[in-house]
Amino acid sequence: MLSLMEELEQGLLMQPWAWLPLPENSVLAKAYITKQGYALLVSDLQQMWHEQMDTSEVSQRAKELNKRLTAPPEAFLCHLDNLLCSLLKDGAQPDEAAFCCDRGAEALILRVRSELSGLPFYWHFHCSLASPSLVSRHLIRPLMGMSLALQCHVRELATLLRMKDLEIQDYQESGATLSRGRLKTEPFEENSFLDKFLVEKLPEACDVGDGRPFVLNLQSLYVAVTKQELQVGQKHPGAGDPQTTSTASPGGTGSQLLSQPQQLGSSEACSSALEEEPAGTAGLTQRPQLSKAKRKKPRGLFS
């Protein structure tokens, strides 16, 4: 059975990175919150900060910051989960909350101000610099796995394009013609396509900026890769960090890998109420039978 710290770490690994706009600077963040505690990662693409707390630590900090509020730590965790879910999912600060951060050489403090049961609620996430192993597990290894998965994805698309060209050629040799000339395309030539891409598209494609393009477009792929990494690690617990293969996506993700991101999961419903202390081929005119000629497998892009 997993300990609390292991559960929080695994849960955090499965969360996608989100773009967090703050008054000072935008950062990337991911959080995992349960009734037993939370884990938070924040990165500005230069450094990464981390905090992990259990219910006893949450209760102590809540008393220090909110002397007029009394509640079990689960209630505070539920409220923080609601605030962070909204922020990390939509990238916009909730109307009832304000976030800001202070960064130093060794620490980052993410400050939250909101209302709870009609009273002001304050929370400070005190994050320290993340260890190299944490950076590797949440960024370096997943990014390498994603690169391999995308390489495999491109190879499959290049193969499909060549097969489509052979299919169209077979139609044409059987007498089929296009009903709309604007649909005509040149046969796919892999090397020319790659050369053109490197010259015309690469500068825009690899513009990292503040990290927003990464979290907006590749959240689902990131989660699929980290899920695969976690599954391999569970099958071979004594092998250290699992090796990510070029087929990094787990079964069942399919076309969702490059589509909509997976929503950040929220914790269970809040517990007791707070109390205040007293005081493809369209356009061909015919569709003849394809020949059964043997087709060569093309060389994939970026191979």
Side-chain angles (χ1 to χ4, degrees):
M1 185 175 181
L2 294 177
S3 67
L4 173 60
M5 296 299 104
E6 290 172 335
E7 179 187 348
L8 291 175
E9 170 58 24
Q10 287 194 8
L12 183 64
L13 183 63
M14 291 300 299
Q15 298 302 316
W17 286 94
W19 186 69
L20 185 60
L22 297 173
E24 302 80 8
N25 288 110
S26 299
V27 295
L28 303 184
K30 59 188 318 196
Y32 182 69
I33 303 176
T34 71
K35 293 190 298 182
Q36 287 75 43
Y38 71 76
L40 174 70
L41 271 180
V42 180
S43 176
D44 62 357
L45 303 185
Q46 299 294 326
Q47 293 177 302
M48 185 186 293
W49 296 271
H50 175 249
E51 184 180 46
Q52 195 162 288
M53 297 186 73
D54 59 23
T55 51
S56 62
E57 295 167 315
V58 168
S59 182
Q60 179 61 34
R61 185 172 298 174
K63 291 178 182 179
E64 295 171 357
L65 297 174
N66 304 278
K67 299 185 183 301
R68 299 176 61 194
L69 288 170
T70 57
E74 292 83 0
F76 293 117
L77 287 166
C78 181
H79 185 61
L80 289 173
D81 190 25
N82 291 334
L83 292 175
L84 284 178
C85 272
S86 176
L87 182 66
L88 298 180
K89 176 187 174 183
D90 302 326
Q93 296 193 17
D95 294 336
E96 70 279 7
F99 292 78
C100 65
C101 74
D102 298 322
R103 272 175 281 191
E106 300 292 332
L108 176 144
I109 302 177
L110 179 62
R111 305 178 189 274
V112 183
R113 185 181 73 252
S114 69
E115 284 191 2
L116 195 54
S117 292
L119 294 173
F121 173 78
Y122 302 93
W123 190 262
H124 298 168
F125 294 95
H126 290 269
C127 304
S128 56
L129 282 176
S131 65
S133 62
L134 206 60
V135 175
S136 174
R137 193 174 191 197
H138 288 270
L139 267 184
I140 297 176
R141 293 187 64 87
L143 289 176
M144 293 178 70
M146 292 168 68
S147 298
L148 293 171
L150 289 171
Q151 180 190 44
C152 181
H153 188 261
V154 169
R155 285 186 184 136
E156 293 293 328
L157 289 177
T159 300
L160 181 61
L161 282 173
R162 288 183 174 272
M163 295 297 289
K164 288 293 184 182
D165 282 342
L166 291 174
E167 181 180 357
I168 292 173
Q169 181 182 352
D170 191 84
Y171 287 152
Q172 292 172 338
E173 290 174 353
S174 300
T177 58
L178 280 173
S179 60
R180 290 168 285 180
R182 61 183 176 82
L183 297 178
K184 182 177 177 59
T185 58
E186 296 298 323
F188 176 69
E189 208 294 310
E190 190 172 332
N191 292 330
S192 297
F193 172 81
L194 178 57
D195 291 341
K196 185 177 180 180
F197 174 83
L198 294 176
V199 172
E200 298 180 1
K201 302 294 184 179
L202 187 64
E204 178 183 356
C206 64
D207 183 10
V208 175
D210 58 5
R212 190 177 187 183
F214 166 70
V215 300
L216 291 182
N217 300 323
L218 294 172
Q219 282 186 336
S220 294
L221 181 58
Y222 176 91
V223 172
V225 169
T226 54
K227 180 179 180 180
Q228 173 72 11
E229 184 103 350
L230 192 59
Q231 290 174 343
V232 173
Q234 290 172 344
K235 291 180 181 178
H236 308 285
D241 285 338
Q243 298 296 320
T244 304
T245 66
S246 60
T247 57
S249 58
T253 55
S255 61
Q256 297 177 357
L257 288 181
L258 303 178
S259 60
Q260 295 299 321
Q262 177 172 318
Q263 180 176 342
L264 180 72
S266 62
S267 64
E268 298 180 10
C270 298
S271 55
S272 59
L274 297 170
E275 296 179 354
E276 183 180 357
E277 289 182 335
T281 53
L284 293 170
T285 56
Q286 302 177 37
R287 188 175 180 83
Q289 181 70 30
L290 290 175
S291 66
K292 297 183 180 179
K294 185 177 181 181
R295 293 157 175 162
K296 294 182 179 180
K297 183 178 181 181
R299 179 175 61 85
L301 287 175
F302 307 111
S303 59

